[in-house]
């Protein structure tokens, strides 16, 4: 029997509890494909899960990681749309093909085992072929899975973004830089915030952000947004901060704009929380929770990225192995990164 290396979280509290196990390589079931994983893209979620702070269910001894790109090495008897050698990515929620995610029970690397392993068998329905014309790396494609779908869902999942509109991205992490790339390519004006002038300078020169704001030195960044937009506000906000930034977001949003509630990177004291209902009503704004997205949305964003060969923002890659993955998660948790951090196999 062939074995593979699999990383499992043996206890909650820290990613130091990751351990390597030798486990059998599974076979593809009738409606499954077996994928040799070539790269895994890490997310803030992987840190929160390891710390035991994820607000949704997590399986005991879970294999962490939700975002993988790889090659199909075996095709189940009932599968007709894939063949060996196809370069593919796997949808974050393997049960949601289209429409809203109905629960948090099917996300890879949380309630079910994820992708930090050499081989994974998944339902063929949850798999998306990488566009043939693409020259992007496996790490770049892996990075499209959670952050790409989330950013796409934020911009197109309800009221679709139009060219010429303005999009604000919070911070310089994976969701934000991926959102910046998609918004720029769609002809939007972009404003990005960060705690670091150095990062902002880098983002401006490398990813072409139109305007930058340091949210530490300009704590009232909504006023700065109003100045930049001539008092109109922004049409879309990718809200990564959560309760700690929602007040400023509601002040910065345009009439009829969309605040996509994605992250929970900062917390407000209850007494400092804005009257969200008042703001939403007074501005006719949409305040919309985002649950990553469906396989359909992953397909749509992959097609867009493939068609334009967009430079998916992978900042740093580490090798697969227990110690290297711990190092990569330390790096991600330190917040030094801009964009995505990946594990190459
Ligand atoms: N709802 C969903 O479906 C979904 C999907 C994906 C991710 N998420 C969530 O979205 C958030 C971002 O995820 P990620 O993977 O992009 O994280 P990440 O790569 O770790 O990015 C974190 C970055 O956010 C910035 N940040 C931290 N506090 C901030 C604040 N108060 N205001 C503005 N920016 C702040 C920092 O950038 P600077 O150093 O530049 O300040 C930091 O480096 C996380 O909370 C994650 O759990 C949710």
């Amino acid at each position: 029997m062939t074995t593979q290396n699999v990383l499992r979280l043996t206890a909650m509290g820290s990613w130091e509890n990751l351990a390597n196990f030798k486990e059998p390589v599974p076979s593809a079931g009738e409606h499954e494909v077996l994928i040799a994983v070539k790269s895994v893209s890490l997310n803030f979620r992987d840190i929160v899960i390891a710390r035991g702070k994820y607000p949704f269910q997590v399986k005991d001894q879970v294999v962490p990681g939700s975002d993988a790109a790889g090659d199909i090495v075996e095709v189940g008897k009932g599968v007709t749309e894939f063949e060996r050698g196809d370069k593919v990515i796997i949808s974050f929620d393997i049960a949601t093909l289209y429409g809203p995610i109905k629960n948090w029970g099917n996300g890879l690397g949380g309630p079910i085992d994820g992708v930090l392993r050499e081989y994974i068998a998944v339902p063929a329905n949850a798999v998306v072929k990488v566009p043939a014309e693409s020259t992007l790396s496996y790490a770049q494609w892996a990075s499209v899975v959670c952050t790409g779908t989330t950013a796409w869902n934020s911009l197109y999942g309800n009221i679709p973004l139009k060219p010429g509109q303005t999009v604000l991205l919070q911070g310089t992490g994976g969701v934000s830089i991926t959102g910046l790339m998609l918004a720029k390519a769609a002809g939007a004006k972009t404003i990005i915030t960060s705690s670091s002038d150095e990062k902002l300078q880098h983002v401006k020169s490398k990813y072409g952000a139109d305007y930058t704001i340091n949210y530490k030195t300009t704590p009232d960044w909504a006023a700065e947004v109003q100045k930049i937009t001539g008092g109109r506000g922004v049409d879309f906000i990718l809200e990564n901060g959560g309760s700690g930034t929602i007040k400023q977001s509601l002040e910065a949003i345009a009439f009829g704009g969309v605040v996509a509630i994605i992250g929970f990177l900062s917390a407000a004291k209850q007494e400092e929380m804005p009257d969200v209902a008042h703001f939403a009503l007074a501005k006719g704004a949409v305040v919309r929770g985002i649950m990553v997205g469906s396989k359909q949305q992953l397909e749509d964003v992959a097609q867009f990225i493939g068609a334009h060969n967009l430079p998916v923002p992978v900042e740093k890659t580490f090798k697969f192995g227990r110690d290297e993955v711990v190092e990569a998660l330390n790096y991600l948790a330190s917040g030094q990164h801009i964009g995505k951090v990946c594990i190459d196999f």
Side-chain angles (χ1 to χ4, degrees):
M1 185 195 299
T2 330
T3 59
Q4 61 163 328
N5 291 299
V6 176
L7 297 187
R8 289 187 182 277
L9 205 50
T10 55
M12 289 301 169
S14 163
W15 45 93
E16 289 288 344
N17 299 326
L18 278 173
N20 192 76
F21 292 83
K22 294 279 180 197
E23 296 185 11
V25 174
S27 295
E30 188 169 357
H31 299 288
E32 290 183 338
V33 290
L34 180 66
I35 297 167
V37 176
K38 297 292 181 188
S39 192
V40 166
S41 185
L42 300 176
N43 290 294
F44 185 74
R45 171 179 181 261
D46 302 319
I47 290 175
V48 180
I49 285 177
R51 284 182 175 148
K53 303 279 187 212
Y54 195 54
F56 309 109
Q57 71 194 85
V58 175
K59 174 182 184 283
D60 272 352
Q61 305 260 325
V62 70
V63 179
S66 55
D67 300 1
D71 293 332
I72 291 187
V73 291
E74 191 188 320
V75 177
K77 278 199 243 103
V79 176
T80 52
E81 67 275 36
F82 294 106
E83 51 188 56
R84 277 178 63 125
D86 282 346
K87 184 171 174 176
V88 293
I89 47 182
I90 311 162
S91 193
F92 173 91
D93 179 305
I94 61 169
T96 303
L97 303 186
Y98 61 89
I101 288 179
K102 310 281 191 307
N103 58 59
W104 285 103
N106 298 293
L108 289 162
I112 60 172
D113 280 335
V115 294
L116 277 169
R117 47 176 148 168
E118 290 173 296
Y119 294 92
I120 180 169
V122 285
N125 277 343
V127 171
V128 172
K129 245 185 246 184
V130 163
E133 66 273 28
S134 168
T135 58
L136 299 186
S137 65
Y138 286 102
Q140 286 176 301
W141 276 113
S143 299
V144 172
V145 174
C146 177
T147 47
T149 308
T150 299
W152 185 266
N153 188 1
S154 303
L155 299 174
Y156 297 100
N158 188 11
I159 301 172
L161 170 69
K162 289 187 261 190
Q165 288 189 314
T166 307
V167 178
L168 181 131
L169 301 309
Q170 289 182 355
T172 56
V175 170
S176 189
I177 303 288
T178 304
L180 170 67
M181 173 191 79
L182 294 174
K184 283 289 297 177
K189 280 255 174 262
T190 52
I191 305 174
I192 190 158
T193 69
S194 174
S195 56
S196 150
D197 286 341
E198 208 182 323
K199 284 186 174 181
L200 286 173
Q201 216 165 2
H202 183 79
V203 169
K204 198 167 177 128
S205 61
K206 184 157 183 197
Y207 298 106
D210 296 296
Y211 301 95
T212 61
I213 305 173
N214 184 321
Y215 62 81
K216 289 271 186 232
T217 53
T218 310
D220 188 3
W221 52 262
E224 191 60 25
V225 168
Q226 292 294 351
K227 253 189 246 166
I228 291 170
T229 58
R232 198 181 161 274
V234 290
D235 300 292
F236 286 82
I237 296 179
L238 269 58
E239 169 57 78
N240 286 320
S243 66
T245 46
I246 185 75
K247 182 165 188 292
Q248 296 269 308
S249 289
L250 292 167
E251 285 169 8
I253 198 72
F255 283 78
V258 177
V259 183
I261 307 289
I262 301 170
F264 41 90
L265 292 167
S266 63
K269 293 191 190 113
Q270 192 58 41
E271 61 273 21
E272 286 167 7
M273 274 300 285
D275 183 343
V276 178
H278 165 80
F279 273 104
L281 184 157
K283 285 191 162 178
V286 176
V287 179
R288 176 173 178 251
I290 301 292
M291 288 172 75
V292 189
S294 65
K295 182 206 171 191
Q296 171 77 65
Q297 287 169 321
L298 176 62
E299 249 168 8
D300 290 349
V301 70
Q303 178 173 280
F304 185 61
I305 287 171
H308 298 282
N309 222 20
L310 297 182
V312 177
V314 173
E315 197 226 293
K316 196 165 166 131
T317 56
F318 292 77
K319 289 269 164 254
F320 178 63
R322 186 265 171 204
D323 293 348
E324 292 85 346
V325 170
V326 168
E327 201 189 329
L329 287 164
N330 281 332
Y331 180 68
L332 187 71
S334 76
Q336 294 169 64
H337 64 290
I338 297 176
K340 298 298 296 183
V341 176
C342 296
I343 307 295
D344 277 345
F345 285 58

